[in-house]
Amino acid sequence: MSTSRIATLTVDGKTIELPVLTGTHGNDVIDIRALYAKAGLFTYDPGFLSTASCESTITFVDGDEGVLLYRGYPIEHLADQCSFLDVAYLLKHGELPTEKEKTDFEYIITQHTMVNEQMAKFYQGFRRDAHPMAVMVGVVGALSAFYNEAWDFSNAEHRNISFNRIVAKLPTIVAMAHKYSRGEPFMYPRNDLSYTANFMHMMFGNPCEKYEPNPVLVHALDTIFTLHADHEQNASTSTVRLAGSSGANPYACISAGIGCLWGPAHGGANEACLKMLEEIGDISRAPEYIKRAKDKNDSFKLTGFGHRVYKNFDPRARIMRKICSDVLQELGLENDRLFKLAIELEKIALQDEYFIEKKLYPNVDFYSGIVQKALGIPTSMFTCIFALARTVGWMAQWEEMITDPEHKIGRPRQLYAGTAFRPVSTKNTRL
């Protein structure tokens, strides 16, 4: 980051100079930290849509150009050439691992996949029909009751321990939530399997027979993890950073992030896409629903098209489309009703002037729900899968925030519009 020029602001006839900061990519930003001292003013930006809340070196998104970079690497290259644990190492350490670093990192993660046996009893306190995300918020937060000996966050080794533990244990916790909801026995991790294959073993295996992961399906889910590993300063990531700014332990911070991700406007989009496809039902009804989506007086929305950030094609969507095709072909579901419907909707939308003008291109969620359903993952677990993947990004963002010498506890200001000052008297009291 460097100061590229000075911005001048005139307030009540007084000229105020503020530095303009330039990063590696993206828009320049005006440093307003001295604005209150110089002008007695704060800025007003609901949703922080025009505010850079931090300086970061982790992820860059260019929505206009359809670009997503992890530590400078395009998501297309990482999805094609790297495993999810390679990406986890990259987000944490800033560089892709060497062969030795890769081996050592995979070994460490494998050694941390089990959770304390007492934690299995926690699940019994939840109703069987509880939403898995509710279970995750509780169980992940409870990790701090069992793993609290490495809480000197100024110590790099302690931060490494926290990162390794939570990244390793999330698949186990997610799989246990799934098994509990089905009344099936928990499956212990297997050290002979890769990170994603082990997760599938814990999700779909049973004690009566050995689970043999399908390499094509493992690769598909591993790629889904990679595509969702981080996405800059979104709502859940900002929640993790805000919670962490107070000095809260990382398990509490991740639990807060999971709670935020649970919101339907954030992490539930792929579930909504699948429900939309089920509502449309058949390829013959696609034109009807396309017409409804274009009608401003109709409440129907074509979920999975367009993105809050991407005003061009979501780069993850192209990758997910191919993964979807590979999975359905491997499972003999090439003629799957929902997949054919999705292809037709995409085809119509990409040729329709309305969608072209508004730049409503398919996003990553449009296909990920179909893939997860084909893998046997229940709809209620979709956001849990998202949280599992995003945890590596959250932890990288958490560490970057608490090691920043300029970081302070988050404290947004407000524009107060309530009742003005008034005294309490016997005439207006309601006691």
Side-chain angles (χ1 to χ4, degrees):
M1 178 180 67
S2 62
T3 300
S4 61
R5 60 189 187 279
I6 298 297
T8 58
L9 177 68
T10 302
V11 180
D12 297 330
K14 180 182 178 181
T15 299
I16 299 165
E17 294 187 341
L18 298 170
V20 177
L21 307 179
T22 299
T24 308
H25 292 295
N27 298 332
D28 291 351
V29 300
I30 300 174
D31 184 346
I32 62 166
R33 284 175 290 183
L35 181 61
Y36 180 72
K38 292 182 176 182
L41 297 172
F42 295 122
T43 58
Y44 181 64
D45 184 20
F48 310 111
L49 303 184
S50 299
T51 299
S53 61
C54 64
E55 178 184 346
S56 181
T57 63
I58 299 172
T59 302
F60 174 71
V61 176
D62 186 333
D64 293 333
E65 297 298 326
V67 173
L68 171 59
L69 307 177
Y70 292 167
R71 300 287 192 182
Y73 292 104
I75 189 63
E76 297 90 340
H77 295 186
L78 294 171
D80 182 54
Q81 302 177 43
C82 301
S83 72
F84 175 65
L85 281 190
D86 291 337
V87 170
Y89 187 96
L90 170 67
L91 292 176
K92 170 69 168 67
H93 298 284
E95 299 291 345
L96 287 168
T98 64
E99 284 301 318
K100 184 180 186 308
E101 290 168 340
K102 178 184 176 76
T103 300
D104 292 345
F105 183 61
E106 290 176 347
Y107 175 80
I108 290 171
I109 295 298
T110 300
Q111 297 307 303
H112 281 298
T113 51
M114 291 187 68
V115 296
N116 190 291
E117 194 68 14
Q118 285 181 263
M119 296 197 73
K121 298 178 181 179
F122 285 8
Y123 289 83
Q124 298 172 16
F126 295 99
R127 290 169 49 125
R128 291 281 182 183
D129 60 353
H131 196 286
M133 286 292 282
V135 175
M136 282 188 65
V137 168
V139 175
V140 171
L143 287 171
S144 59
F146 292 88
Y147 307 101
N148 58 5
E149 78 284 0
W151 280 7
D152 178 4
F153 304 135
S154 64
N155 186 318
E157 183 56 29
H158 285 203
R159 296 195 301 272
N160 287 341
I161 290 171
S162 295
F163 180 92
N164 294 339
R165 278 181 174 161
I166 200 162
V167 170
K169 296 181 190 305
L170 252 293
T172 309
I173 290 170
V174 171
M176 290 173 73
H178 171 63
K179 288 294 190 182
Y180 181 75
S181 69
R182 296 172 62 89
E184 297 178 1
F186 297 146
M187 296 295 291
Y188 284 109
R190 275 174 50 187
N191 290 356
D192 63 318
L193 295 176
S194 69
Y195 184 86
T196 303
N198 180 49
F199 171 64
M200 296 179 73
H201 149 72
M202 292 188 289
M203 279 282 290
F204 306 123
N206 67 74
C208 302
E209 57 191 26
K210 185 176 181 180
Y211 179 80
E212 296 293 345
N214 181 318
V216 174
L217 306 187
V218 171
H219 173 69
L221 187 55
D222 198 74
T223 303
I224 289 177
F225 290 165
T226 293
L227 298 181
H228 290 87
D230 199 49
H231 208 242
E232 212 216 67
Q233 306 308 316
N234 51 73
S236 58
T237 299
S238 297
T239 298
V240 171
R241 279 182 171 261
L242 187 59
S245 74
S246 72
N249 71 76
Y251 306 111
C253 297
I254 299 304
S255 180
I258 292 170
C260 181
L261 187 69
W262 191 5
H266 190 4
N270 50 15
E271 182 176 345
C273 287
L274 196 62
K275 288 181 178 179
M276 177 198 69
L277 292 173
E278 290 285 8
E279 177 186 344
I280 297 173
D282 186 81
I283 194 170
S284 62
R285 302 182 67 190
E288 170 194 344
Y289 278 84
I290 289 286
K291 182 179 179 181
R292 288 185 60 189
K294 294 159 60 176
D295 185 352
K296 64 180 181 180
N297 297 317
D298 195 315
S299 61
F300 175 77
K301 303 296 181 185
L302 198 61
T303 310
F305 287 81
H307 192 278
R308 175 78 174 273
V309 174
Y310 295 108
K311 306 309 176 188
N312 201 318
F313 212 95
D314 182 343
R316 302 168 299 173
R318 291 189 176 94
I319 302 167
M320 186 58 69
R321 189 181 192 277
K322 182 179 185 306
I323 289 295
C324 187
S325 178
D326 292 345
V327 166
L328 295 178
Q329 183 175 354
E330 177 67 18
L331 296 174
L333 300 173
E334 302 95 321
N335 294 316
D336 175 79
R337 173 177 57 90
L338 295 185
F339 181 60
K340 292 181 69 175
L341 173 57
I343 293 291
E344 182 64 17
L345 286 175
E346 179 190 61
K347 179 181 177 181
I348 295 174
L350 291 179
Q351 296 176 350
D352 191 286
E353 291 184 4
Y354 175 87
F355 290 91
I356 295 173
E357 179 183 352
K358 294 184 176 297
K359 297 183 178 181
L360 296 177
Y361 303 105
N363 60 42
V364 67
D365 300 306
F366 186 62
Y367 287 107
S368 63
I370 299 175
V371 174
Q372 292 186 61
K373 181 183 179 184
L375 293 175
I377 298 171
T379 305
S380 62
M381 293 293 298
F382 286 1
T383 315
C384 298
I385 301 297
F386 193 160
L388 189 168
R390 184 56 57 84
T391 293
V392 301
W394 286 336
M395 286 298 292
Q397 297 273 354
W398 166 80
E399 180 170 17
E400 181 179 67
M401 183 271 304
I402 63 171
T403 56
D404 182 350
E406 294 190 350
H407 103 269
K408 298 177 176 63
I409 184 171
R411 179 57 170 89
R413 306 308 296 242
Q414 67 174 13
L415 175 64
Y416 177 69
T419 304
F421 175 84
R422 53 183 175 175
V424 175
S425 70
T426 56
K427 292 184 179 180
N428 61 23
T429 183
R430 303 182 66 182
L431 297 178

